[in-house]
Amino acid sequence: ALKSLGVGIGDPVATLAFNDHRHLDAYLAVPCLGGAIHPVNTRWSDDEIVSVLARTRDRVMLLDARLADRVDSLLPRCPWIEHVIGLGWSPPGIEGITSHHHDELLAAAKPMLAWPELDETSAMALCSTSGTTGGPKTVAYTHRSTCLQTMALGLTDCMRLSGRDTLLAIVPMFHALGWCLPYAAAMLGTRLVLPHRDLSAARLLDLVSKHRVTTAAAVPTIWNAVLAALDAEPQRWDVSSVDRIVSGGAAPTASMIRGFRDRYGIEVIHSWGMTEINPVGTMSPAVTTREEAAMDPDQRIEHQSVAGRPLPGLTLEVEDEQGRPVPTDGRSTGRLLVSGWWVADGYLHEHPETDRFREDGRLETGDVASIDDRGRMTIRDREKDLVKSGGEWISSLELDRAIGDLPEVMAAAVVARPDEKWGERPVAFVTLAPGASLDLETVRIALASKFQTWQMPDDLHPVKTMPLTSTGKIDKKALRAKMNDMTDS
């Protein structure tokens, strides 16, 4: 069907969709055809989506029925799109764009006689991510890098996927290829459960019980909600089939790890990764060595809550400001570098962060970390000022600019505040123009055309003057300290 629309070698195909079987079909069909699947984050604003697609120029888009409300606002701004395929529906007509119903398009198509021969280093997917400077940026995954990543996910000391498992893939497929779980499941014969849009704790637990799920992957926000639901109604769901869950995007708390383990017999595996590394970098199971096997279970909690050891094929290094290696004592911190088999070598288009990719193949992750004498890595801080809420990045810089553009505001700065539910939430500090007043609701209304609700600040704090660094920039470190003082008081 895609071939009949002119999709061929090297062509990107955008998807704006949730986790379901039609999306999975496209995940497999597009790369095998020689194209590059390009899942776009459904949580982005129209501006963010358009800025990405304007560079990749996807001629075909697959669009979920539950996102029908975005057709009129988004598609007219993307004149390069020639075909829109509705996943389970028929999109309305847009001038210059041919609309198709997914099922009808497939029914009318003839089977291909043979798959094309492809170079293993050619692109099979494009993944775009918000950057620390605010603008989305895109990397390409090759057939080789994704194949190596998926094989690593099946290793005993990683995620331990196999054909005996039933995997609930909660991680959105638009988020770094769903951590490559759809491909790992296809490669290994793992039974796959796709939850679509509703990721409420009750719905996920219904799926676990119904399909006898053995493993699942999501961000800590999801797992905290699931644990709370289980504790509130311990007899409602049967989770005895679950052996382990993977938690990524932020570090799980010790109480969450202990709660799943002690009350439900479920192992929590912490994982760290990033879009630029295709995307999984580390795993931290409860036991990977004889030394850890001999530990008291509560001793293991400490290393389960850190990012863990790199997957085979990757190398992690931590260096100081002078580029020297820091001691591997678990305490000394520095800039985290990663290199290896599935690390991207750059962004597809010009971007201010391109210099993160060093000529020697090492990538500056933007994280501050430490590594202990057993190779276990811990993320300690971030070099930039991104806010990570519910596993998704929010650019503080873009919020700074948007709030600073308001007539009542002379200066604005957004920083991250720790949040038990979401990991982090944005908080705005503003210096107001003389005689002006401003409240949070007014700010949120003003930002509504450019930002999604979840991207907007939770609180607004007017200050007389902004703290400045020696170079005259707003000192966000001082603002974070001020916010902490406000919280303590």
Side-chain angles (χ1 to χ4, degrees):
L2 291 170
K3 190 175 181 181
S4 73
L5 302 183
V7 176
I9 304 295
D11 290 332
V13 174
T15 68
L16 200 61
F18 304 102
N19 295 19
D20 75 352
H21 64 288
R22 294 183 180 92
H23 200 181
L24 179 64
D25 286 345
Y27 254 57
L28 301 170
V30 173
C32 288
L33 185 61
I37 191 78
H38 184 194
V40 178
N41 195 325
T42 65
R43 299 171 183 167
W44 282 351
S45 67
D46 289 350
D47 286 347
E48 289 171 310
I49 293 174
V50 171
S51 70
V52 169
L53 297 182
R55 293 180 172 88
T56 57
R57 296 278 166 163
D58 311 59
R59 293 174 43 250
V60 177
M61 172 181 280
L62 279 67
L63 187 64
D64 197 285
R66 295 292 295 275
L67 296 168
D69 60 338
R70 304 195 70 169
V71 169
D72 292 338
S73 64
L74 180 62
L75 293 185
R77 300 177 60 186
C78 303
W80 49 85
I81 294 179
E82 300 172 12
H83 300 274
V84 172
I85 302 171
L87 300 182
W89 70 304
S90 296
I94 298 290
E95 185 177 357
I97 299 177
T98 304
S99 297
H100 309 268
H101 188 293
H102 173 277
D103 300 351
E104 295 173 0
L105 183 67
L106 266 60
K110 296 180 180 180
M112 292 175 57
L113 297 178
W115 294 112
E117 292 293 328
L118 303 172
D119 188 307
E120 66 173 13
T121 61
S122 62
M124 54 75 59
L126 303 181
C127 279
S128 302
T129 177
S130 294
T132 53
T133 56
K137 54 195 187 296
T138 304
V139 296
Y141 295 168
T142 68
H143 288 270
R144 176 182 174 83
S145 65
T146 302
C147 184
L148 291 170
Q149 166 84 157
T150 55
M151 285 195 290
L153 291 177
L155 294 175
T156 302
D157 291 334
C158 294
M159 195 173 173
R160 309 201 297 269
L161 282 179
S162 77
R164 297 185 298 275
D165 281 308
T166 296
L167 167 64
L168 176 58
I170 305 169
V171 181
M173 290 166 67
F174 57 71
H175 189 90
L177 286 187
W179 300 354
C180 280
L181 295 177
Y183 293 120
M187 173 183 283
L188 301 168
T190 304
R191 188 170 182 236
L192 193 60
V193 180
L194 299 169
H196 202 252
R197 187 177 188 176
D198 184 357
L199 303 183
S200 63
R203 169 88 194 300
L204 296 176
L205 286 165
D206 286 343
L207 292 173
V208 168
S209 297
K210 179 179 179 180
H211 298 288
R212 306 300 295 159
V213 168
T214 63
T215 186
V219 295
T221 304
I222 295 288
W223 292 131
N224 284 327
V226 167
L227 184 59
L230 280 172
D231 289 344
E233 299 182 83
Q235 304 304 317
R236 179 175 173 182
W237 296 283
D238 179 4
V239 296
S240 60
S241 62
V242 183
D243 173 69
R244 63 206 178 278
I245 59 175
V246 176
S247 181
T253 62
S255 62
M256 187 183 88
I257 297 172
R258 191 175 290 109
F260 275 111
R261 183 197 66 188
D262 294 348
R263 297 195 287 279
Y264 305 102
I266 298 172
E267 177 187 358
V268 176
I269 301 175
H270 178 32
S271 177
W272 166 85
M274 54 193 304
T275 301
E276 291 86 345
I277 64 172
N278 209 141
V280 181
T282 68
M283 288 279 181
S284 191
V287 175
T288 58
T289 67
R290 291 183 295 276
E291 175 190 37
E292 291 166 358
M295 289 180 179
D296 179 89
D298 281 341
Q299 287 182 285
R300 300 175 191 149
I301 296 291
E302 183 177 350
H303 71 248
Q304 277 182 269
S305 60
V306 306
R309 297 179 176 87
L311 273 59
L314 291 183
T315 298
L316 299 179
E317 302 170 75
V318 178
E319 66 176 25
D320 62 18
E321 293 181 356
Q322 286 72 44
R324 299 170 302 198
V326 304
T328 53
D329 55 14
R331 298 183 304 275
S332 301
T333 63
R335 181 185 296 113
L336 179 64
L337 308 175
V338 60
S339 57
W341 296 346
W342 50 79
V343 177
D345 57 8
Y347 299 117
L348 293 184
H349 311 99
E350 288 297 322
H351 195 278
E353 294 184 15
T354 299
D355 59 0
R356 292 172 57 188
F357 296 89
R358 298 184 178 180
E359 292 184 0
D360 60 9
R362 294 186 296 172
L363 168 66
E364 296 180 18
T365 66
D367 290 313
V368 174
S370 63
I371 299 177
D372 69 12
D373 60 352
R374 296 296 187 267
R376 294 177 294 230
M377 187 269 288
T378 303
I379 300 293
R380 300 295 182 182
D381 204 347
R382 298 190 182 98
E383 292 184 298
K384 302 295 184 179
D385 294 310
L386 277 174
V387 181
K388 198 166 193 180
S389 180
E392 297 288 339
W393 292 114
I394 300 173
S395 170
S396 65
L397 180 60
E398 293 297 320
L399 286 171
D400 292 348
R401 291 172 176 168
I403 297 171
D405 283 341
L406 299 179
E408 301 89 348
V409 177
M410 294 183 63
V414 172
V415 297
R417 180 177 67 192
D419 186 274
E420 288 186 4
K421 182 177 182 181
W422 300 109
E424 292 178 345
R425 291 296 301 152
V427 173
F429 287 85
V430 295
T431 300
L432 298 177
S437 63
L438 188 65
D439 57 38
L440 180 62
E441 185 60 24
T442 301
V443 171
R444 292 174 71 88
I445 292 172
L447 299 184
S449 63
K450 292 186 176 182
F451 296 89
Q452 299 294 302
T453 302
W454 64 272
Q455 295 173 309
M456 297 183 190
D458 278 2
D459 285 308
L460 182 73
H461 299 295
V463 293
K464 290 184 178 180
T465 57
M466 286 285 182
L468 302 177
T469 67
S470 59
T471 58
K473 297 179 181 179
I474 294 177
D475 189 345
K476 290 194 173 184
K477 182 178 180 181
L479 287 176
R480 282 191 286 267
K482 180 179 180 66
M483 181 180 60
N484 291 336
D485 292 340
M486 294 165 57
T487 301
D488 294 339
S489 60

